[in-house]
Amino acid sequence: MPPPSNFSFLAEHSPLLADLGSTAERLFPFDPASAVLKLRLLAEAITQDIAARLGISLQQPTQAELLRAVDVRLGLDAQVRQLFHLLRRVGNLAAHEASHGIGFREGLEALKVAREVAVWFHRSFGRDPAFKPGPFVMPDDPSQKLLAMQQQVAQLQAQLQDAESAKSSQAELAKLL
């Protein structure tokens, strides 16, 4: 069973939204830039959902144009607007720049920003305006599990070697007796 996602609560609105967030979390340890791309898609999907709820219809708008239209209609809080634009910009960087420089720090920041956007969306358009998501949970890092297993194997090998050495010593002692 996969670990709980920081975006699970979005399933109430759409399984796709929850899946985009949880997929970004799973990608993060291996490829932060791909995680950022998923988070850009999540922000775009949230913006499209809001636009549909508000009856905003534009012909093939860019994310910036759609955000502007949503902002005009809703009067977005400046911080929320900034979070959406941050995900748009860093997502565009990951998508269009070969030397994007998106590493673990930038990927983690994008995960946290996307979660803030998701929480705002859930509070604003969900059934519980006082929703408390709990603390951000760091995505599972399989490399840490591998490292722990490798250390455990090394300890077990050392114990086996000690046991074999003790057995050999006892056999020698028995032979001498």
Side-chain angles (χ1 to χ4, degrees), residues 10-59:
L10 288 175
E12 177 183 313
H13 303 277
S14 163
L16 173 65
L17 296 177
D19 187 53
L20 286 169
S22 66
T23 300
E25 288 176 312
R26 287 191 307 272
L27 285 171
F28 168 72
F30 307 103
D31 187 0
S34 293
V36 166
L37 285 171
K38 285 292 183 194
L39 296 171
R40 179 184 85 165
L41 289 174
L42 173 62
E44 289 175 359
I46 288 173
T47 306
Q48 291 164 1
D49 183 285
I50 296 169
R53 290 172 190 255
L54 298 174
I56 296 172
S57 178
L58 302 174
Q59 292 291 6

Side-chain angles (χ1 to χ4, degrees), residues 89-106:
R89 284 191 307 274
V90 73
N92 286 345
L93 188 64
H96 303 297
E97 296 290 329
S99 59
H100 48 67
I102 295 172
F104 291 101
R105 184 178 56 222
E106 294 81 9

Side-chain angles (χ1 to χ4, degrees), residues 158-174:
Q159 289 173 359
L160 177 62
Q161 192 174 19
D162 290 345
E164 286 175 345
S165 178
K167 182 180 176 186
S168 176
S169 295
Q170 285 180 339
E172 294 255 344
L173 184 61

Side-chain angles (χ1 to χ4, degrees), residues 93-159:
L93 188 64
H96 303 297
E97 296 290 329
S99 59
H100 48 67
I102 295 172
F104 291 101
R105 184 178 56 222
E106 294 81 9
L108 183 60
E109 178 185 340
L111 277 169
K112 290 178 179 179
V113 165
R115 180 148 187 267
E116 288 302 313
V117 166
V119 168
W120 169 84
F121 172 71
H122 188 68
R123 286 178 179 155
S124 299
F125 295 95
R127 289 176 263 174
D128 183 7
F131 173 69
K132 302 247 187 283
F136 178 84
V137 177
M138 281 293 291
D140 192 29
D141 185 351
S143 67
Q144 292 302 316
K145 288 181 182 176
L146 177 61
L147 181 62
M149 281 191 207
Q150 288 171 334
Q151 290 171 342
Q152 187 177 16
V153 166
Q155 288 174 336
L156 291 172
Q157 285 175 332
Q159 289 173 359

